[in-house]
Amino acid sequence: MPQLDAWEKEYRNPQLVAVGDDPQRSVLKYLKWLRRKEKKDLPGLAVLDLGSGIGKNANFMAKEGATVTGIELSPTAVAIAKQRAAEEGVTVTYLQRSFGEVFPLGDVSIDLVLDVMASNSLNEQERAIYLQEMHRVLKPGGHALVRGLCKDGDKNTKALLAKFPGEEYDTYRNPDMNLVERVFSEEDFRKTYNPLFEILSLEKKSNYARFNGRVYKRNYWMASLRKAANECCDLGSNNPTLST
């Protein structure tokens, strides 16, 4: 599996991912917003961290009182995350698997899903499963944070699409990691998530990534999503239904 090979190589010799213990600032900012605007605080929440990496966000949330499950493709990352959780004295359920497959979780069992730059490398078939599964496991009124790559106004991304095109729409093969990544225009992002979730906010942000001694500017979407409070899943079909 190309994704697995790419991420195993990255976690064994980190070039792009940050290796510190602190949770990501974007996650901390979102959690603060969630507490202030939606009156949801971590203690007692059931959280699913997709692409949980070495456990920075998951272990922090567990320490703050959440019940956390992390799904991560890389065995190396999962081993590091488990070791760090043990050292910090927190309990997190880490599952080594793709989240482009059916989640091993019950229906409407999760309050909050995090996808922080994780679903970019899913193919379209996997993405369809990921979207349906995220919807299935979220409780009515449950929230999700999605941070994904942005196409709009990003010259580097447009150059990558032209020079290293992938086989699927708006994808390119990252030449440094040999990883296919998907980028989204605002219209495309909304079309992807709106059928299943309410988009509470969608902001374009920028940051800088360093890889092999070079610095790249990357644009990304920061989206706050919510599953409708009166919505449930008809598990016999691919479409959500509204309860009456």
Side-chain angles (χ1 to χ4, degrees), residues 12 20 41 73 95 116 142 145 170 185 211 243:
R12 288 175 181 174
D41 210 349
L73 186 61
L95 305 174
V116 183
L145 169 66
D170 270 356
S185 67
F211 198 98
S243 58

Side-chain angles (χ1 to χ4, degrees), residues 2-244:
Q3 292 180 40
L4 175 58
D5 293 342
W7 286 114
E8 271 293 274
K9 181 180 179 181
E10 173 64 18
Y11 281 112
R12 288 175 181 174
N13 181 28
Q15 300 290 323
L16 185 62
V17 298
V19 295
D21 295 326
D22 295 334
Q24 291 168 298
R25 284 182 293 177
S26 60
V27 171
L28 293 177
K29 183 177 180 180
Y30 172 75
L31 293 174
K32 182 178 180 180
W33 176 90
L34 195 66
R35 181 171 59 249
R36 185 178 71 253
K37 294 293 187 179
E38 297 292 302
K39 311 304 179 186
K40 296 284 184 73
D41 210 349
L42 280 173
L45 292 187
V47 181
L48 174 60
D49 187 3
L50 299 176
S52 49
I54 56 177
K56 293 187 295 183
N57 297 324
N59 291 343
F60 167 78
M61 292 185 292
K63 192 180 299 184
E64 293 295 310
T67 300
V68 185
T69 300
I71 297 181
E72 169 58 47
L73 186 61
S74 164
T76 296
V78 169
I80 295 171
K82 288 181 176 180
Q83 180 180 350
R84 289 186 171 189
E87 292 170 352
E88 295 175 22
V90 297
T91 300
V92 177
T93 300
Y94 284 109
L95 305 174
Q96 190 271 305
R97 57 185 291 131
S98 168
F99 59 86
E101 304 170 354
V102 174
F103 301 169
L105 300 169
D107 301 344
V108 295
S109 59
I110 297 295
D111 297 290
L112 172 62
V113 176
L114 297 186
D115 167 13
V116 183
M117 305 294 280
S119 59
N120 298 317
S121 55
L122 296 178
N123 63 37
E124 290 307 301
Q125 181 179 357
E126 293 169 330
R127 191 177 311 283
I129 295 171
Y130 141 85
L131 289 166
Q132 290 290 340
E133 285 297 283
M134 186 162 61
H135 182 271
R136 178 183 67 82
V137 302
L138 270 176
K139 298 176 183 178
H143 290 77
L145 169 66
V146 175
R147 181 176 165 183
L149 291 172
C150 171
K151 178 183 177 181
D152 297 348
D154 193 316
K155 294 180 180 179
N156 182 54
T157 291
K158 290 183 178 179
L160 289 169
L161 288 169
K163 294 179 181 179
F164 307 102
E167 294 181 359
E168 296 185 326
Y169 177 70
D170 270 356
T171 62
Y172 60 79
R173 183 169 295 279
N174 185 316
D176 291 312
M177 292 184 67
N178 194 31
L179 183 71
V180 173
E181 295 183 308
R182 171 76 151 87
V183 293
F184 291 85
S185 67
E186 179 175 355
E187 180 183 10
D188 194 16
F189 190 98
R190 291 184 182 277
K191 285 182 178 179
T192 298
Y193 288 93
N194 252 338
L196 293 172
F197 305 98
E198 179 185 2
I199 299 178
L200 301 178
S201 65
L202 180 62
E203 298 178 273
K204 186 170 77 170
K205 302 286 187 178
S206 298
N207 70 356
Y208 292 87
R210 181 179 295 273
F211 198 98
N212 290 338
R214 296 190 300 249
V215 176
Y216 299 88
K217 181 180 179 181
R218 302 187 106 190
N219 290 341
Y220 60 90
W221 295 115
M222 190 80 168
S224 173
L225 312 179
R226 182 172 61 196
K227 180 177 173 179
N230 63 338
E231 192 173 304
C232 62
C233 276
D234 177 1
L235 299 180
S237 71
N238 290 325
N239 299 311
T241 59
L242 293 179
S243 58
T244 56

